[in-house]
Amino acid sequence: MIGPKKALILAACAALVTPAAANSAIDQIIAGGDGGIDGVRPPMPPGGLECVPYARQLSGIRIYGDAYTWWDQAKGHYARGHSPRIGAVMAIEPHNNSRLGHVAAVSGIIDSRTILLSHANWSYRGQIERNVTALDVSPDNDWSEVRIWYGPSRNLGTTHWPVAGFIYNARPGRMQDVGSQRLAQIAAPAEPATKRKLRRNDPIGAIIAGTY
């Protein structure tokens, strides 16, 4: 017979690995949680946390193994695309000193070039960051390259990280990739034509050029 204490522990563990718990975790982040666009680092247990189990917990996507394998593993099992959606996982390819790649859950969409990520083991080893900024710096606005908030510098990192794409918690063929123009319409109100004509600066161009 399982004692009351052991039963409570088993129930808590089960809650962490069920899709319902994963949905509740991402819902908490979207609702505000304890993050801002500059991120928050809550206390972590000894040993810290890797990006893979945290992305799996938030998204409910049941893929295991190193982050760089997620994109290929998702083929035939989960819908994939190249536009961010809340709850999707961004799969970042190995680059520079990141030999295993990285995965992060999309927790917000600001506009066609700006999203919020919640992820672990990025700016600080083993730590969680919630609702931090990621900018699409790809020339074609296809989310193939991003700059991501880097905590120690309190700004976006300068590296252009290559992105394989986004993995959605849905069966293949069940979700249409909405595209950057539609994302812009959903996330931001239309800007008056007169204001667009008067604008002289090109912040996206500056970001792509690395001068942001």
Side-chain angles (χ1 to χ4, degrees):
M1 181 176 177
I2 299 176
K5 187 174 180 180
K6 189 172 182 181
L8 184 61
I9 293 171
L10 289 174
C13 291
L16 287 175
V17 298
T18 60
N23 291 336
S24 139
I26 199 74
D27 287 344
Q28 273 190 339
I29 289 171
I30 295 166
D34 46 1
I37 61 169
D38 58 350
V40 168
R41 295 182 290 133
M44 289 294 298
L49 185 66
E50 297 293 335
C51 66
V52 165
Y54 190 59
R56 187 165 54 239
Q57 178 187 351
L58 290 185
S59 67
I61 293 173
R62 298 305 178 205
I63 297 179
Y64 296 81
D66 292 327
Y68 75 90
T69 69
W70 273 47
W71 182 251
D72 288 338
Q73 283 196 65
K75 185 176 181 180
H77 299 282
Y78 290 95
R80 304 186 304 174
H82 298 281
S83 296
R85 290 176 181 268
I86 292 175
V89 169
M90 174 190 280
I92 299 171
E93 298 175 343
H95 183 62
N96 286 350
N97 62 340
S98 174
R99 294 177 296 174
L100 299 179
H102 185 71
V103 284
V106 178
S107 52
I109 295 175
I110 307 303
D111 54 39
S112 64
R113 289 273 186 180
T114 315
I115 62 175
L116 302 180
L117 298 177
S118 293
H119 58 169
N121 202 32
W122 183 259
S123 297
Y124 308 92
R125 186 175 180 82
Q127 299 282 332
I128 289 172
E129 293 174 284
R130 292 186 170 95
N131 299 329
V132 296
T133 306
L135 278 175
D136 171 27
V137 291
S138 61
D140 297 327
N141 192 194
D142 60 6
W143 288 93
S144 58
E145 295 178 52
V146 296
R147 286 172 63 189
I148 299 175
W149 178 268
Y150 186 62
S153 67
R154 305 295 295 172
N155 206 336
L156 289 168
T158 57
T159 301
H160 288 204
W161 294 96
V163 176
F166 295 89
I167 304 169
Y168 314 118
N169 192 355
R171 293 179 182 177
R174 290 290 183 91
M175 294 184 71
Q176 184 178 2
D177 202 357
V178 295
S180 59
Q181 293 302 318
R182 178 61 179 151
L183 277 173
Q185 293 171 9
I186 293 170
E191 188 178 5
T194 52
K195 186 175 180 181
R196 284 200 301 270
K197 289 178 181 178
L198 292 172
R199 179 182 290 171
R200 295 181 180 178
N201 294 327
D202 181 10
I204 298 303
I207 291 167
I208 294 171
T211 57
Y212 175 79

